[in-house]
mmCIF file of all heavy atoms in Angstrom:
data_model
loop_
_atom_site.group_PDB
_atom_site.id
_atom_site.type_symbol
_atom_site.label_atom_id
_atom_site.label_comp_id
_atom_site.label_asym_id
_atom_site.label_seq_id
_atom_site.Cartn_x
_atom_site.Cartn_y
_atom_site.Cartn_z
ATOM 1 N N GLN A 1 0.847 -1.189 -0.001
ATOM 2 C CA GLN A 1 -0.045 0.002 0.056
ATOM 3 C C GLN A 1 0.924 1.306 -0.023
ATOM 4 O O GLN A 1 0.508 2.255 -0.715
ATOM 5 C CB GLN A 1 -0.946 -0.077 1.249
ATOM 6 C CG GLN A 1 -1.790 1.324 1.275
ATOM 7 C CD GLN A 1 -2.712 1.310 2.498
ATOM 8 O OE1 GLN A 1 -2.573 0.542 3.439
ATOM 9 N NE2 GLN A 1 -3.535 2.305 2.635
ATOM 10 N N LEU A 2 1.961 1.322 0.750
ATOM 11 C CA LEU A 2 2.710 2.537 0.856
ATOM 12 C C LEU A 2 3.972 2.527 -0.005
ATOM 13 O O LEU A 2 4.862 3.336 0.262
ATOM 14 C CB LEU A 2 2.988 2.729 2.328
ATOM 15 C CG LEU A 2 1.837 2.927 3.326
ATOM 16 C CD1 LEU A 2 2.282 3.165 4.676
ATOM 17 C CD2 LEU A 2 0.962 4.047 2.821
ATOM 18 N N ASP A 3 4.002 1.711 -0.981
ATOM 19 C CA ASP A 3 5.231 1.563 -1.869
ATOM 20 C C ASP A 3 5.019 2.656 -2.981
ATOM 21 O O ASP A 3 4.398 2.300 -4.012
ATOM 22 C CB ASP A 3 5.377 0.195 -2.445
ATOM 23 C CG ASP A 3 6.559 0.078 -3.237
ATOM 24 O OD1 ASP A 3 7.238 1.113 -3.565
ATOM 25 O OD2 ASP A 3 6.909 -1.094 -3.682
ATOM 26 N N ARG A 4 5.563 3.862 -2.699
ATOM 27 C CA ARG A 4 5.172 4.922 -3.679
ATOM 28 C C ARG A 4 5.734 4.681 -5.076
ATOM 29 O O ARG A 4 5.107 5.146 -6.034
ATOM 30 C CB ARG A 4 5.740 6.286 -3.075
ATOM 31 C CG ARG A 4 5.082 6.789 -1.891
ATOM 32 C CD ARG A 4 5.803 8.020 -1.306
ATOM 33 N NE ARG A 4 4.931 8.511 -0.148
ATOM 34 C CZ ARG A 4 4.252 9.544 -0.117
ATOM 35 N NH1 ARG A 4 3.992 10.231 -1.329
ATOM 36 N NH2 ARG A 4 3.542 10.080 0.894
ATOM 37 N N GLU A 5 6.894 3.955 -5.165
ATOM 38 C CA GLU A 5 7.390 3.677 -6.434
ATOM 39 C C GLU A 5 6.444 2.795 -7.298
ATOM 40 O O GLU A 5 6.575 2.893 -8.565
ATOM 41 C CB GLU A 5 8.763 3.005 -6.276
ATOM 42 C CG GLU A 5 9.910 3.820 -5.560
ATOM 43 C CD GLU A 5 10.227 5.083 -6.353
ATOM 44 O OE1 GLU A 5 10.247 4.918 -7.610
ATOM 45 O OE2 GLU A 5 10.328 6.112 -5.744
ATOM 46 N N ARG A 6 5.685 1.998 -6.730
ATOM 47 C CA ARG A 6 4.766 1.193 -7.431
ATOM 48 C C ARG A 6 3.286 1.685 -7.404
ATOM 49 O O ARG A 6 2.389 0.930 -7.846
ATOM 50 C CB ARG A 6 4.836 -0.296 -6.856
ATOM 51 C CG ARG A 6 6.233 -0.859 -7.079
ATOM 52 C CD ARG A 6 6.321 -2.275 -6.607
ATOM 53 N NE ARG A 6 5.479 -3.215 -7.441
ATOM 54 C CZ ARG A 6 5.231 -4.456 -7.180
ATOM 55 N NH1 ARG A 6 5.722 -4.939 -5.966
ATOM 56 N NH2 ARG A 6 4.470 -5.157 -7.976
ATOM 57 N N TRP A 7 3.026 2.854 -6.917
ATOM 58 C CA TRP A 7 1.746 3.369 -6.960
ATOM 59 C C TRP A 7 1.071 3.434 -8.314
ATOM 60 O O TRP A 7 -0.144 3.158 -8.458
ATOM 61 C CB TRP A 7 1.711 4.802 -6.353
ATOM 62 C CG TRP A 7 1.558 4.793 -4.796
ATOM 63 C CD1 TRP A 7 1.371 3.713 -4.042
ATOM 64 C CD2 TRP A 7 1.435 5.940 -3.977
ATOM 65 N NE1 TRP A 7 1.199 4.125 -2.694
ATOM 66 C CE2 TRP A 7 1.301 5.434 -2.602
ATOM 67 C CE3 TRP A 7 1.538 7.314 -4.201
ATOM 68 C CZ2 TRP A 7 1.179 6.258 -1.548
ATOM 69 C CZ3 TRP A 7 1.475 8.112 -3.145
ATOM 70 C CH2 TRP A 7 1.355 7.659 -1.713
ATOM 71 N N PRO A 8 1.810 3.710 -9.411
ATOM 72 C CA PRO A 8 1.252 3.736 -10.707
ATOM 73 C C PRO A 8 0.650 2.358 -11.131
ATOM 74 O O PRO A 8 -0.454 2.325 -11.708
ATOM 75 C CB PRO A 8 2.342 4.154 -11.723
ATOM 76 C CG PRO A 8 3.231 5.026 -10.800
ATOM 77 C CD PRO A 8 3.100 4.283 -9.529
ATOM 78 N N GLU A 9 1.425 1.347 -10.792
ATOM 79 C CA GLU A 9 0.959 0.000 -11.031
ATOM 80 C C GLU A 9 -0.308 -0.332 -10.229
ATOM 81 O O GLU A 9 -1.275 -0.914 -10.795
ATOM 82 C CB GLU A 9 2.091 -0.972 -10.625
ATOM 83 C CG GLU A 9 1.739 -2.436 -10.806
ATOM 84 C CD GLU A 9 2.796 -3.396 -10.248
ATOM 85 O OE1 GLU A 9 3.947 -2.915 -10.100
ATOM 86 O OE2 GLU A 9 2.562 -4.605 -10.149
ATOM 87 N N LEU A 10 -0.356 0.012 -8.998
ATOM 88 C CA LEU A 10 -1.612 -0.175 -8.180
ATOM 89 C C LEU A 10 -2.792 0.557 -8.691
ATOM 90 O O LEU A 10 -3.893 0.115 -8.704
ATOM 91 C CB LEU A 10 -1.274 0.286 -6.675
ATOM 92 C CG LEU A 10 -2.444 0.058 -5.664
ATOM 93 C CD1 LEU A 10 -2.906 -1.351 -5.610
ATOM 94 C CD2 LEU A 10 -1.963 0.489 -4.261
ATOM 95 N N ARG A 11 -2.570 1.850 -9.136
ATOM 96 C CA ARG A 11 -3.651 2.702 -9.627
ATOM 97 C C ARG A 11 -4.180 2.097 -10.876
ATOM 98 O O ARG A 11 -5.435 1.996 -11.120
ATOM 99 C CB ARG A 11 -3.111 4.100 -9.941
ATOM 100 C CG ARG A 11 -4.170 5.041 -10.375
ATOM 101 C CD ARG A 11 -3.600 6.379 -10.763
ATOM 102 N NE ARG A 11 -2.750 6.980 -9.778
ATOM 103 C CZ ARG A 11 -3.105 7.524 -8.654
ATOM 104 N NH1 ARG A 11 -4.475 7.722 -8.511
ATOM 105 N NH2 ARG A 11 -2.231 7.990 -7.811
ATOM 106 N N ARG A 12 -3.341 1.516 -11.723
ATOM 107 C CA ARG A 12 -3.870 0.911 -12.955
ATOM 108 C C ARG A 12 -4.720 -0.235 -12.640
ATOM 109 O O ARG A 12 -5.860 -0.473 -13.261
ATOM 110 C CB ARG A 12 -2.729 0.473 -13.905
ATOM 111 C CG ARG A 12 -2.072 1.547 -14.633
ATOM 112 C CD ARG A 12 -1.099 1.034 -15.743
ATOM 113 N NE ARG A 12 -0.048 0.195 -15.204
ATOM 114 C CZ ARG A 12 1.117 0.718 -14.798
ATOM 115 N NH1 ARG A 12 1.447 1.998 -14.920
ATOM 116 N NH2 ARG A 12 2.010 -0.098 -14.315
ATOM 117 N N ARG A 13 -4.358 -1.049 -11.683
ATOM 118 C CA ARG A 13 -5.212 -2.304 -11.299
ATOM 119 C C ARG A 13 -6.517 -1.912 -10.720
ATOM 120 O O ARG A 13 -7.631 -2.467 -11.032
ATOM 121 C CB ARG A 13 -4.352 -3.113 -10.370
ATOM 122 C CG ARG A 13 -5.068 -4.572 -10.233
ATOM 123 C CD ARG A 13 -4.935 -5.351 -11.458
ATOM 124 N NE ARG A 13 -5.628 -6.600 -11.363
ATOM 125 C CZ ARG A 13 -6.860 -6.667 -11.945
ATOM 126 N NH1 ARG A 13 -7.466 -5.768 -12.454
ATOM 127 N NH2 ARG A 13 -7.474 -7.962 -11.780
ATOM 128 N N LEU A 14 -6.510 -0.784 -9.857
ATOM 129 C CA LEU A 14 -7.803 -0.376 -9.315
ATOM 130 C C LEU A 14 -8.632 0.250 -10.367
ATOM 131 O O LEU A 14 -9.901 0.046 -10.415
ATOM 132 C CB LEU A 14 -7.504 0.716 -8.203
ATOM 133 C CG LEU A 14 -6.722 0.344 -6.941
ATOM 134 C CD1 LEU A 14 -6.612 1.354 -5.956
ATOM 135 C CD2 LEU A 14 -7.485 -0.966 -6.297
ATOM 136 N N ALA A 15 -8.070 1.061 -11.331
ATOM 137 C CA ALA A 15 -8.886 1.647 -12.321
ATOM 138 C C ALA A 15 -9.542 0.587 -13.254
ATOM 139 O O ALA A 15 -10.704 0.745 -13.600
ATOM 140 C CB ALA A 15 -7.973 2.556 -13.179
ATOM 141 N N GLU A 16 -8.811 -0.359 -13.458
ATOM 142 C CA GLU A 16 -9.308 -1.505 -14.438
ATOM 143 C C GLU A 16 -10.557 -2.161 -13.807
ATOM 144 O O GLU A 16 -11.544 -2.460 -14.384
ATOM 145 C CB GLU A 16 -8.256 -2.517 -14.761
ATOM 146 C CG GLU A 16 -7.062 -1.989 -15.627
ATOM 147 C CD GLU A 16 -6.040 -3.026 -15.690
ATOM 148 O OE1 GLU A 16 -6.002 -3.993 -14.894
ATOM 149 O OE2 GLU A 16 -4.980 -2.798 -16.359
ATOM 150 N N THR A 17 -10.396 -2.398 -12.474
ATOM 151 C CA THR A 17 -11.529 -3.112 -11.795
ATOM 152 C C THR A 17 -12.718 -2.171 -11.589
ATOM 153 O O THR A 17 -13.845 -2.620 -11.832
ATOM 154 C CB THR A 17 -11.045 -3.485 -10.398
ATOM 155 O OG1 THR A 17 -9.754 -4.312 -10.497
ATOM 156 C CG2 THR A 17 -11.969 -4.340 -9.653
ATOM 157 N N PHE A 18 -12.520 -0.898 -11.194
ATOM 158 C CA PHE A 18 -13.709 -0.105 -11.126
ATOM 159 C C PHE A 18 -14.399 0.203 -12.445
ATOM 160 O O PHE A 18 -15.577 0.460 -12.445
ATOM 161 C CB PHE A 18 -13.280 1.283 -10.513
ATOM 162 C CG PHE A 18 -13.207 1.293 -9.070
ATOM 163 C CD1 PHE A 18 -11.982 1.565 -8.352
ATOM 164 C CD2 PHE A 18 -14.355 1.110 -8.267
ATOM 165 C CE1 PHE A 18 -11.964 1.469 -6.959
ATOM 166 C CE2 PHE A 18 -14.202 1.140 -6.891
ATOM 167 C CZ PHE A 18 -13.050 1.343 -6.205
ATOM 168 N N ARG A 19 -13.780 -0.037 -13.550
ATOM 169 C CA ARG A 19 -14.380 0.138 -14.902
ATOM 170 C C ARG A 19 -15.299 -1.047 -15.221
ATOM 171 O O ARG A 19 -16.137 -0.973 -16.126
ATOM 172 C CB ARG A 19 -13.288 0.246 -15.904
ATOM 173 C CG ARG A 19 -12.742 1.581 -16.108
ATOM 174 C CD ARG A 19 -13.693 2.497 -16.850
ATOM 175 N NE ARG A 19 -13.053 3.674 -17.444
ATOM 176 C CZ ARG A 19 -13.694 4.497 -18.097
ATOM 177 N NH1 ARG A 19 -14.956 4.517 -18.307
ATOM 178 N NH2 ARG A 19 -13.039 5.604 -18.642
ATOM 179 N N THR A 20 -15.367 -2.160 -14.349
ATOM 180 C CA THR A 20 -16.245 -3.213 -14.705
ATOM 181 C C THR A 20 -17.681 -3.114 -14.192
ATOM 182 O O THR A 20 -18.461 -3.937 -14.580
ATOM 183 C CB THR A 20 -15.531 -4.579 -14.076
ATOM 184 O OG1 THR A 20 -15.505 -4.393 -12.604
ATOM 185 C CG2 THR A 20 -14.160 -4.745 -14.583
ATOM 186 N N ARG A 21 -17.973 -2.178 -13.430
ATOM 187 C CA ARG A 21 -19.302 -2.000 -12.903
ATOM 188 C C ARG A 21 -19.673 -0.523 -12.953
ATOM 189 O O ARG A 21 -18.772 0.362 -13.097
ATOM 190 C CB ARG A 21 -19.480 -2.496 -11.521
ATOM 191 C CG ARG A 21 -19.066 -3.972 -11.329
ATOM 192 C CD ARG A 21 -19.555 -4.424 -9.932
ATOM 193 N NE ARG A 21 -18.978 -5.749 -9.643
ATOM 194 C CZ ARG A 21 -19.368 -6.397 -8.494
ATOM 195 N NH1 ARG A 21 -20.157 -5.849 -7.630
ATOM 196 N NH2 ARG A 21 -18.854 -7.700 -8.298
ATOM 197 N N THR A 22 -20.900 -0.219 -12.857
ATOM 198 C CA THR A 22 -21.386 1.135 -12.864
ATOM 199 C C THR A 22 -21.203 1.729 -11.417
ATOM 200 O O THR A 22 -20.970 0.961 -10.479
ATOM 201 C CB THR A 22 -22.846 1.300 -13.191
ATOM 202 O OG1 THR A 22 -23.715 0.587 -12.168
ATOM 203 C CG2 THR A 22 -23.197 0.569 -14.478
ATOM 204 N N ARG A 23 -21.316 3.087 -11.412
ATOM 205 C CA ARG A 23 -21.090 3.747 -10.144
ATOM 206 C C ARG A 23 -22.095 3.200 -8.986
ATOM 207 O O ARG A 23 -21.670 2.821 -7.975
ATOM 208 C CB ARG A 23 -21.417 5.208 -10.337
ATOM 209 C CG ARG A 23 -21.323 6.014 -9.118
ATOM 210 C CD ARG A 23 -21.829 7.448 -9.191
ATOM 211 N NE ARG A 23 -23.375 7.335 -9.330
ATOM 212 C CZ ARG A 23 -24.241 8.420 -9.524
ATOM 213 N NH1 ARG A 23 -23.568 9.576 -9.666
ATOM 214 N NH2 ARG A 23 -25.445 8.258 -9.656
ATOM 215 N N ASP A 24 -23.451 3.092 -9.432
ATOM 216 C CA ASP A 24 -24.462 2.621 -8.457
ATOM 217 C C ASP A 24 -24.282 1.172 -8.143
ATOM 218 O O ASP A 24 -24.618 0.785 -6.956
ATOM 219 C CB ASP A 24 -25.808 2.940 -9.023
ATOM 220 C CG ASP A 24 -26.122 4.430 -9.078
ATOM 221 O OD1 ASP A 24 -25.368 5.201 -8.491
ATOM 222 O OD2 ASP A 24 -27.101 4.887 -9.825
#
């Protein structure tokens, strides 16, 4: 969680997952 060097990698994975469902 706190590995700043790999934050871009973590962000991409979270973004991909959130894109699979609607907001509601």
Side-chain angles (χ1 to χ4, degrees):
Q1 180 184 6
L2 299 181
D3 184 352
R4 290 174 179 260
E5 294 299 320
R6 298 183 66 190
W7 273 359
E9 179 185 344
L10 177 59
R11 186 186 308 279
R12 283 193 299 272
R13 193 70 188 95
L14 296 180
E16 291 169 357
T17 306
F18 275 116
R19 276 287 199 178
T20 63
R21 301 188 189 186
T22 68
R23 179 196 70 181
D24 293 344

